[in-house]
Each structure stands twice: as C-alpha cells, then as structure tokens.
Amino acid sequence: MMDQPRRQYRRESEQSRRASLIAATQSLVAEGGPQAATVRAIAARAGVTPGLIRHYFRTKDDLTRAAYIALMDGMTDKGADALEGVGAMPEERLAAFVAAGLRPPVLDSAAVGLWAGYMHQVRNDPVLLQVHEAGYLRYRDALEALIAALPREADAAQLRAEAIACNALIDGLWVEGSLLPGSFAPGEIITIGLRSVGAILGVDLLAHSAMVSDTGKKLT
C-alpha cells in the first residue's frame, strides 16, 4: 500500500524535471538561437548536471525538438482551453479560439524569438520539419473544424482554403503583436483579428465574442 504513492511522486517529479529542461531549452533558443542551447547551458539554466539530461532525453536534438513541440502545441492548447469558457454557438467558439491566439501568454516576444530561432533549423532538420508540420496542421485542423461548424454552406476545398488563410492572418498578427506590443491599443490586435477572420468567412465574430481585450475581458 505504501509503494503506490511513492511511484506517483516519482512520475510527477520526472514530468516536472522534463518540463524544466524544456523550459530552459526554450529560453536559451529564444535568447541566442539553437546554437546557444548547449547541453552545458541547458543544464546550468535548469539547475541540473549535464549527465542528468541524458536520463530524460536520448540526445540533445530530442530535447530541442521537444522544446519546439511544446511551443507549437501550447498555442493550440490555449485555444482549446478558451473553448471551455464559452457556449455552444459556433461563432462564439471560433471567436474565442482566434482571440486566445492573439493575447498573452500566446502573444509573447519570447515565444516569437523561440519560433524564429528554430526557423533555419527547421529547413535543415527533416525530423524537426515533421514536428513543425504536425504542429501547424494540429492548429489549422482545429481552426478548420470550428469554421466548418459555422451555419453556412461550404465544401471541403473552401474550408481548407479558409483555414489556411485565417491561420496565416493569425500568424502575422501574432508576430507583430508580440514584437511591437506598444504599437497597439489594448485589445486592438484581437479586434483586428476577429474582424479580419470574420471578413474572410462572411460572419461577424465581434458580435459574438465575449473576449475582446488583451486580458480576456469584454471591452466596454
């Protein structure tokens, strides 16, 4: 009876340690690119010995890929989390998903730095390219499913094209909003995003959004 709690604690500790190593890798890549994320630097940032990294990740490449997966999946997960706080109306759910990608913590200069730090490596690492594609498709597929739920007629080809266009629009606003937060009024990036995505789809997302501001509260 006493062994089970100890096993649970060990699993939680390992998850925490892996998360710490991933966070350390992300911060180093964001600051200086992938070349800054050496095993020694990662270990120092995470407060562990270099040898301990091998216990959790087979190679340093595995760790850097895990850090990129965490970045990509985190963006989609924040959108999914936002859906839990809204009703069943398709327009409202789509608005909540879009808005979640255009506010903190997704809207973040360090996240853009991390993403940019990986871009050159993505082109030269086939495995990392697959990771990037999987993360991109996960977000786009989630977006497409929300678009497909809108009360209008649209075939598969149209839905795919709309999801690609809306995803590209959100990406662009995410980059500029993250890097130049002082250039936009509170809630402006989200408002532009909702209005523009709505224009592509022919729906009024602003009329159904309960989360327009940067803080997730409706603007008055």
Side-chain angles (χ1 to χ4, degrees):
M1 295 295 293
M2 297 298 293
D3 290 340
Q4 184 63 25
R6 284 198 294 270
R7 286 198 295 270
Q8 289 177 341
Y9 175 80
R10 184 160 54 250
R11 284 199 297 269
E12 291 170 359
S13 177
E14 288 183 357
Q15 290 177 351
S16 177
R17 185 69 74 187
R18 284 176 62 90
S20 177
L21 292 170
I22 287 172
T25 303
Q26 288 179 330
S27 64
L28 288 164
V29 173
E31 292 168 10
Q35 66 274 10
T38 64
V39 170
R40 187 177 297 275
I42 294 169
R45 183 66 59 93
V48 301
T49 62
L52 189 62
I53 294 177
R54 305 297 184 189
H55 176 72
Y56 297 100
F57 298 94
R58 186 172 57 86
T59 66
K60 194 196 82 169
D61 284 344
D62 287 344
L63 174 53
T64 57
R65 290 163 185 158
Y68 191 55
I69 290 172
L71 169 69
M72 299 286 284
D73 284 353
M75 297 179 181
T76 305
D77 291 342
K78 291 300 180 187
D81 291 344
L83 298 180
E84 297 180 3
V86 298
M89 182 173 285
E91 295 91 340
E92 184 180 7
R93 293 177 65 78
L94 176 59
F97 186 84
V98 172
L102 297 175
R103 71 162 56 94
V106 178
L107 203 71
D108 177 63
S109 61
V112 172
L114 176 60
W115 172 79
Y118 274 106
M119 284 304 95
H120 178 73
Q121 192 172 354
V122 164
R123 296 192 308 163
N124 297 286
D125 181 343
V127 177
L128 195 60
L129 179 61
Q130 291 177 353
V131 167
H132 175 79
E133 182 180 30
Y136 164 74
L137 290 176
R138 182 171 179 245
Y139 184 90
R140 199 187 81 191
D141 288 349
L143 184 61
E144 184 173 336
L146 291 166
I147 294 172
L150 294 172
R152 64 196 181 104
E153 294 294 328
D155 60 23
Q158 179 181 337
L159 291 173
R160 180 178 185 275
E162 288 173 339
I164 292 171
C166 291
N167 182 81
L169 170 69
I170 294 166
D171 277 353
L173 289 173
W174 171 69
V175 171
E176 298 303 334
S178 294
L179 294 179
L180 301 170
S183 298
F184 305 97
E188 185 177 8
I189 286 289
I190 297 174
T191 299
I192 292 171
L194 294 177
R195 183 179 292 119
S196 301
V197 169
I200 291 172
L201 303 175
V203 296
D204 185 0
L205 295 184
L206 282 175
H208 298 278
S209 174
M211 292 178 285
V212 179
S213 76
D214 295 331
T215 61
K217 297 179 180 179
K218 188 174 181 179
L219 290 177
T220 58

